[in-house]
């Protein structure tokens, strides 16, 4: 039972604290899947909840979860990236307020969107998904790739514990032979 009308009235949703959710096939998100492998029947599960706080500020809480098929840029095999994103958007009435940085001290900066009687929820969901796609998608460890040479890019500092001979000592030993 997905929600069939993907447009919301941000005034109503926040005032009433309503929540809606849906499951949308990824292939429906044209901007997202452009250049990506076939997503098959994978869906995005999303929910959107409105909130109005004691100060009258209005927020939307968006949650999106999906398994996106991406192409690994190292081994070129497709793999599924599990995305689980959530964000809080403040709904403002005037375009001028979109860039207003005068938030409360110590509060996390929030993204702002313009209030609308007809906000496209799926566009919001799609934006959230797009933000979650890595610039260069890669397996953590490619399945069939040969083991990469030990590069010490990870900043692994050589352990110079008592049990380990210093490199100089080893060199010295080599010279003797
Ligand atoms: Zn790979």
């Amino acid at each position: 039972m997905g929600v069939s009308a993907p447009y919301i009235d941000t005034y109503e949703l926040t005032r009433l604290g309503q929540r809606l959710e849906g499951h949308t096939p990824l292939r429906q998100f044209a901007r997202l899947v452009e250049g990506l492998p076939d997503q098959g029947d994978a869906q995005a599960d999303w929910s959107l909840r409105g909130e109005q706080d004691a100060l009258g500020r209005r927020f939307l809480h968006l949650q999106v979860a999906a398994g996106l098929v991406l192409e690994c840029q190292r081994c070129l095999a497709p793999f599924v990236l599990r995305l689980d994103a959530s964000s809080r958007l403040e709904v403002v009435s005037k375009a001028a307020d979109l860039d207003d940085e005068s938030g409360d001290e110590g509060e996390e900066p929030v993204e702002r969107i313009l209030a609308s009687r007809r906000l496209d929820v799926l566009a919001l969901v799609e934006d959230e998904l797009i933000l979650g796609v890595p610039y260069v998608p890669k397996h953590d460890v490619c399945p069939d790739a040969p083991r990469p040479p030990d590069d010490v890019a990870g900043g692994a500092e050589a352990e110079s514990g008592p049990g380990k001979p210093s490199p100089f000592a080893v060199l010295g030993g080599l010279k003797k032979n």
Side-chain angles (χ1 to χ4, degrees), residues 72-77 79 138-139 141-143 145:
C72 173
Q73 296 304 293
R74 197 188 291 138
C75 69
L76 302 182
F79 71 106
K138 275 189 296 210
H139 286 111
V141 177
C142 292

Side-chain angles (χ1 to χ4, degrees), residues 4 7 18 20 22 28 39 51 64-65 92 111 132 145 151 156:
S4 55
Y7 293 97
Q18 288 171 330
L20 71 164
Q28 246 181 260
Q39 300 297 312
E51 179 202 0
V64 183
V92 296
E111 280 185 72
D151 65 335

Side-chain angles (χ1 to χ4, degrees), residues 1-159:
M1 297 299 132
V3 176
S4 55
Y7 293 97
I8 57 149
D9 180 333
T10 60
Y11 296 96
E12 288 292 284
L13 197 86
T14 52
R15 187 171 64 82
L16 302 173
Q18 288 171 330
R19 181 176 185 279
L20 71 164
E21 60 180 38
H23 311 281
T24 307
L26 291 174
R27 55 159 67 107
Q28 246 181 260
F29 298 113
R31 283 183 293 135
L32 172 70
V33 299
E34 190 187 348
L36 297 185
D38 183 17
Q39 300 297 312
D41 296 323
Q43 292 187 327
D45 304 319
W46 54 265
S47 71
L48 186 71
R49 181 170 61 82
E51 179 202 0
Q52 188 160 349
D53 71 8
L55 300 172
R57 293 179 304 182
R58 291 163 299 176
F59 296 97
L60 296 177
H61 299 268
L62 176 66
Q63 279 201 303
V64 183
L68 269 178
V69 182
L70 303 176
E71 183 181 75
C72 173
Q73 296 304 293
R74 197 188 291 138
C75 69
L76 302 182
F79 71 106
V80 175
L81 177 76
R82 204 55 223 170
L83 278 184
D84 204 339
S86 62
S87 65
R88 187 172 76 131
L89 305 156
E90 182 173 3
V91 183
V92 296
S93 307
K94 304 191 299 285
D97 293 334
L98 287 174
D99 301 319
D100 181 12
E101 295 297 330
S102 61
D104 292 348
E105 292 284 328
E107 256 192 24
E108 274 183 67
V110 292
E111 280 185 72
R112 295 188 171 92
I113 59 167
L114 206 52
S116 168
R117 294 282 179 203
R118 194 175 150 79
L119 180 78
D120 185 344
V121 175
L122 292 184
L124 220 55
V125 171
E126 185 167 20
D127 287 343
E128 193 71 32
L129 287 169
I130 288 172
L131 281 176
V133 177
Y135 187 60
V136 181
K138 275 189 296 210
H139 286 111
D140 288 338
V141 177
C142 292
D144 296 322
R147 266 187 73 85
D150 277 338
D151 65 335
V152 278
E157 284 170 19
E159 280 178 54

